[in-house]
Amino acid sequence: MSILVEQCITLTIGILINICIKRKCYLSKSVIGLSKKRIMQRTIESGSNEIMTKLNLTESEWQEKLSPEEFNICRCSATEAPFTGEYVNCKITGVYHCKCCDAELFNSDTKYDSGSGWPSFWQPINAQAIKEIADRTLAMPRVEVTCAACAAHLGHVFTDGPQPTGLRYCINSAALELHAL
């Protein structure tokens, strides 16, 4: 391995460790000083029905509800390895829900094979289902996608998707739960 590649790997690992420490996430299977602060309380509008989602869970309550991988991805903005997720090659018809709060996020009709290694969708189930946030944690500016109901990290959206939207919502399988039709 070249020195440049080793330096890039070392730098990337250092950045990820710093992000984990900053966000108080798991490193391997150990916990780094988790705070007791409350996560969120938010009202969302879904179609014509208003849904109130109250998820006043502490970080330790989220850890009890989610697996370590799900917690790292959904609550600490981690990313699963490409081509390893449960739904990357899934062809089952249904609706993809948030793993944390069960909110409807994506319809299988909008799922496609982007070749990226993560489940990809060209649009959310409705505009109110997700929230898009500027993400500058890496060298390349990106747009993070979170669940509008519970603020769970889902993945990122890119502008290289298919028509009619031209968008690619690149979503972690661990942040999703498929409800088959």
Side-chain angles (χ1 to χ4, degrees), residues 3-59:
I3 292 175
L4 182 58
V5 171
E6 286 180 30
Q7 289 173 338
C8 287
I9 291 170
T10 302
L11 178 62
T12 302
I13 291 170
I15 290 169
L16 292 175
I17 289 170
N18 286 333
I19 290 169
C20 263
I21 290 170
K22 179 180 171 189
R23 295 187 181 186
K24 300 175 181 155
C25 299
Y26 283 111
L27 284 178
S28 300
K29 293 192 178 186
S30 63
V31 179
I32 298 178
L34 295 171
S35 70
K36 296 283 184 183
K37 71 177 186 177
R38 294 291 171 174
I39 301 298
M40 62 76 61
Q41 181 173 347
R42 186 177 298 174
T43 304
I44 63 165
E45 198 171 295
S46 175
S48 62
N49 300 334
E50 191 174 275
I51 300 170
M52 175 62 97
T53 304
K54 293 182 180 177
L55 291 177
N56 288 326
L57 301 180
T58 63
E59 291 185 43

Coordinates of all heavy atoms in Angstrom, one line a residue, residues 3-59:
I3 N 2.2 5.1 0.5 CA 2.1 6.0 1.7 C 0.9 7.0 1.6 O 0.3 7.2 2.6 CB 3.5 6.8 1.8 CG1 4.6 5.9 2.2 CG2 3.4 7.9 2.8 CD1 6.0 6.5 2.2
L4 N 0.6 7.5 0.4 CA -0.5 8.4 0.2 C -1.8 7.7 0.6 O -2.7 8.2 1.2 CB -0.5 8.9 -1.3 CG -1.7 9.8 -1.6 CD1 -1.6 11.1 -0.7 CD2 -1.6 10.2 -3.0
V5 N -2.0 6.4 0.1 CA -3.2 5.7 0.5 C -3.3 5.5 2.0 O -4.4 5.7 2.6 CB -3.2 4.3 -0.3 CG1 -4.4 3.4 0.2 CG2 -3.4 4.6 -1.8
E6 N -2.2 5.1 2.6 CA -2.2 4.9 4.1 C -2.5 6.2 4.8 O -3.3 6.2 5.7 CB -0.8 4.4 4.5 CG -0.5 3.0 4.2 CD 0.9 2.5 4.7 OE1 1.4 3.1 5.7 OE2 1.4 1.6 4.0
Q7 N -2.0 7.3 4.3 CA -2.3 8.6 4.9 C -3.8 9.0 4.7 O -4.4 9.5 5.7 CB -1.5 9.7 4.3 CG 0.0 9.7 4.7 CD 0.8 10.7 4.0 OE1 0.5 11.2 2.9 NE2 2.0 11.0 4.6
C8 N -4.4 8.7 3.6 CA -5.8 8.9 3.3 C -6.7 8.0 4.3 O -7.7 8.5 4.9 CB -6.2 8.6 1.9 SG -5.6 9.9 0.8
I9 N -6.3 6.8 4.4 CA -7.1 5.9 5.3 C -6.9 6.4 6.7 O -8.0 6.4 7.4 CB -6.5 4.4 5.1 CG1 -6.9 3.9 3.8 CG2 -7.1 3.6 6.3 CD1 -6.3 2.6 3.4
T10 N -5.8 6.7 7.2 CA -5.6 7.2 8.5 C -6.4 8.5 8.8 O -7.0 8.7 9.8 CB -4.1 7.5 8.8 OG1 -3.3 6.3 8.6 CG2 -3.8 8.0 10.2
L11 N -6.4 9.4 7.8 CA -7.1 10.7 7.9 C -8.6 10.4 8.0 O -9.3 10.9 8.8 CB -6.8 11.6 6.7 CG -7.6 12.9 6.7 CD1 -7.3 13.8 7.9 CD2 -7.3 13.7 5.4
T12 N -9.1 9.5 7.1 CA -10.6 9.1 7.1 C -11.0 8.5 8.5 O -12.0 8.9 9.0 CB -10.9 8.1 6.0 OG1 -10.5 8.8 4.7 CG2 -12.3 7.8 5.9
I13 N -10.2 7.6 9.0 CA -10.5 7.0 10.3 C -10.5 8.0 11.4 O -11.4 8.0 12.2 CB -9.5 5.8 10.6 CG1 -9.7 4.6 9.6 CG2 -9.6 5.4 12.0 CD1 -8.7 3.6 9.6
G14 N -9.5 8.9 11.3 CA -9.5 10.0 12.3 C -10.7 10.9 12.3 O -11.3 11.2 13.3
I15 N -11.1 11.2 11.1 CA -12.4 12.0 10.9 C -13.6 11.3 11.5 O -14.4 11.9 12.2 CB -12.6 12.4 9.4 CG1 -11.5 13.4 9.0 CG2 -14.0 13.0 9.2 CD1 -11.5 13.6 7.5
L16 N -13.7 10.0 11.1 CA -14.8 9.2 11.6 C -14.8 9.1 13.1 O -15.9 9.2 13.8 CB -14.8 7.9 11.0 CG -15.2 7.9 9.5 CD1 -15.0 6.4 8.9 CD2 -16.5 8.4 9.2
I17 N -13.7 8.9 13.7 CA -13.6 8.8 15.2 C -14.0 10.2 15.8 O -14.7 10.2 16.8 CB -12.1 8.4 15.6 CG1 -11.9 6.9 15.3 CG2 -11.9 8.6 17.1 CD1 -10.5 6.4 15.4
N18 N -13.5 11.3 15.2 CA -13.8 12.6 15.8 C -15.3 12.8 15.6 O -15.9 13.4 16.6 CB -13.1 13.7 15.1 CG -11.6 13.8 15.5 OD1 -11.3 13.4 16.6 ND2 -10.8 14.2 14.6
I19 N -16.0 12.4 14.5 CA -17.4 12.6 14.4 C -18.1 11.8 15.4 O -19.1 12.2 16.1 CB -17.9 12.2 13.0 CG1 -17.4 13.2 11.9 CG2 -19.4 12.1 12.9 CD1 -17.5 12.8 10.5
C20 N -17.7 10.5 15.6 CA -18.3 9.6 16.6 C -18.2 10.3 18.0 O -19.1 10.3 18.8 CB -17.7 8.2 16.6 SG -18.7 7.1 15.6
I21 N -17.0 10.7 18.3 CA -16.8 11.3 19.7 C -17.7 12.6 19.8 O -18.4 12.7 20.8 CB -15.3 11.7 19.9 CG1 -14.5 10.4 20.0 CG2 -15.2 12.6 21.1 CD1 -13.0 10.6 20.0
K22 N -17.7 13.4 18.8 CA -18.5 14.6 18.8 C -20.0 14.3 19.0 O -20.7 14.9 19.8 CB -18.3 15.4 17.6 CG -19.1 16.7 17.5 CD -18.8 17.4 16.2 CE -19.8 18.5 16.0 NZ -19.7 19.1 14.6
R23 N -20.5 13.3 18.3 CA -21.9 12.9 18.4 C -22.2 11.9 19.4 O -23.3 11.4 19.6 CB -22.3 12.4 17.0 CG -22.3 13.5 16.0 CD -22.9 13.1 14.7 NE -22.7 14.2 13.7 CZ -23.3 14.2 12.6 NH1 -23.9 13.1 12.2 NH2 -23.1 15.2 11.7
K24 N -21.2 11.4 20.2 CA -21.3 10.5 21.3 C -21.9 9.2 20.9 O -22.9 8.7 21.5 CB -22.2 11.2 22.4 CG -21.5 12.4 22.9 CD -22.4 13.1 23.9 CE -21.7 14.4 24.3 NZ -22.6 15.4 24.8
C25 N -21.3 8.6 19.9 CA -21.8 7.3 19.3 C -21.0 6.2 19.8 O -19.9 6.4 20.4 CB -21.8 7.4 17.8 SG -22.8 8.6 17.1
Y26 N -21.4 5.0 19.4 CA -20.6 3.8 19.7 C -19.3 3.9 18.9 O -19.3 4.3 17.7 CB -21.3 2.5 19.2 CG -22.4 2.1 20.1 CD1 -23.7 2.1 19.6 CD2 -22.1 1.5 21.3 CE1 -24.7 1.7 20.4 CE2 -23.2 1.0 22.1 CZ -24.5 1.1 21.7 OH -25.5 0.7 22.5
L27 N -18.2 3.4 19.4 CA -17.0 3.1 18.7 C -16.8 1.6 18.9 O -16.7 1.2 20.1 CB -15.8 3.9 19.2 CG -15.8 5.4 18.8 CD1 -14.6 6.1 19.4 CD2 -15.7 5.5 17.3
S28 N -16.8 0.9 17.9 CA -16.9 -0.6 18.0 C -18.2 -0.9 18.8 O -19.3 -0.5 18.4 CB -15.7 -1.2 18.7 OG -14.6 -0.8 17.9
K29 N -18.0 -1.5 20.0 CA -19.2 -1.8 20.8 C -19.2 -1.1 22.1 O -20.0 -1.3 23.0 CB -19.3 -3.3 21.0 CG -19.6 -4.1 19.7 CD -20.0 -5.5 20.0 CE -20.3 -6.1 18.7 NZ -20.8 -7.5 18.8
S30 N -18.3 -0.2 22.3 CA -18.2 0.6 23.5 C -18.9 1.9 23.4 O -19.1 2.4 22.3 CB -16.8 0.8 23.9 OG -16.1 1.6 23.0
V31 N -19.4 2.4 24.5 CA -20.2 3.7 24.4 C -19.3 4.8 24.9 O -18.6 4.6 25.9 CB -21.4 3.6 25.3 CG1 -22.2 4.9 25.3 CG2 -22.3 2.5 24.8
I32 N -19.3 5.9 24.3 CA -18.5 7.1 24.7 C -19.4 8.1 25.3 O -20.2 8.7 24.6 CB -17.7 7.7 23.6 CG1 -16.8 6.7 23.0 CG2 -17.0 9.0 24.0 CD1 -16.0 7.2 21.8
G33 N -19.4 8.3 26.7 CA -20.1 9.3 27.4 C -21.4 9.8 26.9 O -21.5 10.9 26.4
L34 N -22.4 8.9 26.9 CA -23.7 9.3 26.3 C -24.4 10.3 27.2 O -24.5 10.0 28.4 CB -24.6 8.1 26.0 CG -24.0 7.2 25.0 CD1 -24.8 5.9 25.0 CD2 -24.1 7.8 23.6
S35 N -25.0 11.3 26.7 CA -25.7 12.3 27.5 C -27.2 11.8 27.7 O -27.6 11.0 26.9 CB -25.7 13.7 26.8 OG -26.5 13.7 25.7
K36 N -27.9 12.5 28.6 CA -29.2 12.1 28.9 C -30.2 13.1 28.2 O -31.4 13.0 28.5 CB -29.5 12.1 30.4 CG -28.7 11.1 31.1 CD -29.3 9.8 31.0 CE -28.6 8.8 31.8 NZ -29.1 7.4 31.7
K37 N -29.7 13.9 27.3 CA -30.6 14.9 26.8 C -31.7 14.3 25.9 O -31.6 13.2 25.4 CB -29.9 15.9 25.9 CG -29.3 15.3 24.6 CD -28.7 16.4 23.8 CE -28.3 15.8 22.4 NZ -27.7 16.7 21.6
R38 N -32.8 14.9 25.9 CA -34.0 14.4 25.1 C -33.7 14.6 23.6 O -33.1 15.7 23.2 CB -35.2 15.2 25.5 CG -35.6 14.8 26.9 CD -36.1 13.4 27.0 NE -36.3 13.0 28.3 CZ -36.8 11.9 28.7 NH1 -37.2 11.0 27.7 NH2 -37.0 11.5 29.9
I39 N -34.2 13.7 22.8 CA -33.9 13.8 21.4 C -34.7 14.8 20.6 O -34.2 15.6 19.9 CB -34.0 12.4 20.7 CG1 -33.0 11.4 21.4 CG2 -33.7 12.4 19.2 CD1 -31.6 11.7 21.3
M40 N -36.0 14.6 20.7 CA -36.9 15.5 19.9 C -38.3 15.4 20.1 O -38.8 14.5 20.8 CB -36.6 15.3 18.4 CG -37.0 13.9 17.8 SD -38.7 13.6 17.6 CE -39.1 14.8 16.4
Q41 N -39.1 16.4 19.7 CA -40.5 16.4 19.7 C -40.9 17.2 18.5 O -40.6 18.4 18.4 CB -41.1 16.9 21.0 CG -42.6 16.9 21.0 CD -43.1 17.3 22.4 OE1 -42.4 17.4 23.3 NE2 -44.4 17.6 22.4
R42 N -41.6 16.7 17.5 CA -41.9 17.4 16.3 C -43.2 17.0 15.7 O -43.7 15.9 15.9 CB -40.8 17.0 15.3 CG -40.9 17.8 14.0 CD -39.8 17.5 13.1 NE -38.5 17.8 13.7 CZ -37.3 17.5 13.2 NH1 -37.3 16.9 12.0 NH2 -36.3 17.9 13.8
T43 N -43.9 18.0 15.1 CA -45.1 17.7 14.4 C -44.9 17.7 12.9 O -44.1 18.6 12.5 CB -46.2 18.8 14.7 OG1 -46.3 18.9 16.1 CG2 -47.5 18.6 14.1
I44 N -45.4 16.7 12.3 CA -45.3 16.7 10.8 C -46.6 16.6 10.2 O -47.6 16.2 10.8 CB -44.4 15.5 10.3 CG1 -45.1 14.2 10.7 CG2 -43.0 15.5 10.9 CD1 -44.5 13.0 9.9
E45 N -46.7 17.0 8.9 CA -48.0 16.9 8.2 C -47.8 15.9 7.1 O -46.8 15.9 6.4 CB -48.3 18.3 7.6 CG -49.7 18.4 7.2 CD -50.0 19.8 6.8 OE1 -50.0 20.7 7.6 OE2 -50.3 20.0 5.6
S46 N -48.7 15.0 7.0 CA -48.6 13.9 6.1 C -49.9 13.9 5.3 O -51.0 13.5 5.7 CB -48.4 12.5 6.8 OG -48.5 11.5 5.8
G47 N -49.8 14.3 4.0 CA -51.0 14.4 3.2 C -52.0 15.4 3.8 O -51.6 16.5 4.2
S48 N -53.3 15.0 4.0 CA -54.3 15.9 4.6 C -54.4 15.6 6.1 O -55.1 16.3 6.8 CB -55.6 15.7 4.0 OG -56.0 14.4 4.1
N49 N -53.7 14.5 6.6 CA -53.8 14.2 8.0 C -52.6 14.7 8.8 O -51.5 14.5 8.3 CB -53.8 12.6 8.2 CG -55.0 12.0 7.5 OD1 -56.0 12.6 7.3 ND2 -54.9 10.8 7.2
E50 N -52.8 15.3 9.9 CA -51.7 15.8 10.7 C -51.4 14.7 11.7 O -52.3 14.2 12.4 CB -52.1 17.1 11.5 CG -50.9 17.7 12.1 CD -51.2 19.1 12.7 OE1 -51.2 20.1 12.0 OE2 -51.5 19.1 13.9
I51 N -50.1 14.4 11.8 CA -49.7 13.3 12.7 C -48.7 13.9 13.7 O -47.8 14.6 13.3 CB -48.9 12.2 11.9 CG1 -49.8 11.6 10.8 CG2 -48.4 11.2 12.8 CD1 -49.1 10.7 9.9
M52 N -49.0 13.6 15.0 CA -48.1 14.1 16.0 C -47.2 12.9 16.4 O -47.7 11.9 16.8 CB -48.9 14.6 17.2 CG -48.0 15.0 18.4 SD -46.9 16.4 18.0 CE -47.8 17.7 18.6
T53 N -45.9 13.1 16.3 CA -45.0 12.1 16.7 C -44.2 12.6 17.8 O -43.5 13.6 17.7 CB -44.1 11.7 15.5 OG1 -44.9 11.3 14.4 CG2 -43.1 10.6 15.9
K54 N -44.3 12.0 19.0 CA -43.6 12.4 20.2 C -42.6 11.3 20.5 O -43.0 10.2 21.0 CB -44.5 12.7 21.3 CG -45.4 13.8 21.1 CD -46.2 14.1 22.4 CE -47.2 15.3 22.2 NZ -48.0 15.5 23.3
L55 N -41.4 11.5 20.2 CA -40.3 10.6 20.5 C -39.3 11.2 21.5 O -38.3 11.6 21.1 CB -39.6 10.1 19.3 CG -40.5 9.2 18.4 CD1 -39.7 8.8 17.1 CD2 -40.9 7.9 19.1
N56 N -39.8 11.3 22.7 CA -38.9 11.9 23.7 C -38.0 10.8 24.3 O -38.2 10.5 25.5 CB -39.7 12.6 24.8 CG -40.4 13.9 24.3 OD1 -39.8 14.6 23.5 ND2 -41.5 14.2 24.8
L57 N -37.2 10.3 23.5 CA -36.3 9.2 24.0 C -34.9 9.7 24.3 O -34.4 10.5 23.5 CB -36.2 8.1 22.9 CG -37.5 7.4 22.5 CD1 -37.2 6.4 21.5 CD2 -38.2 6.8 23.7
T58 N -34.4 9.2 25.4 CA -33.0 9.6 25.7 C -32.1 8.7 24.7 O -32.6 7.7 24.1 CB -32.6 9.3 27.1 OG1 -32.7 7.9 27.3 CG2 -33.5 10.0 28.1
E59 N -30.8 9.0 24.7 CA -29.9 8.2 23.9 C -29.9 6.8 24.4 O -29.8 5.8 23.6 CB -28.5 8.8 23.8 CG -28.6 10.1 23.0 CD -27.2 10.7 22.9 OE1 -26.2 10.0 22.6 OE2 -27.1 12.0 23.0

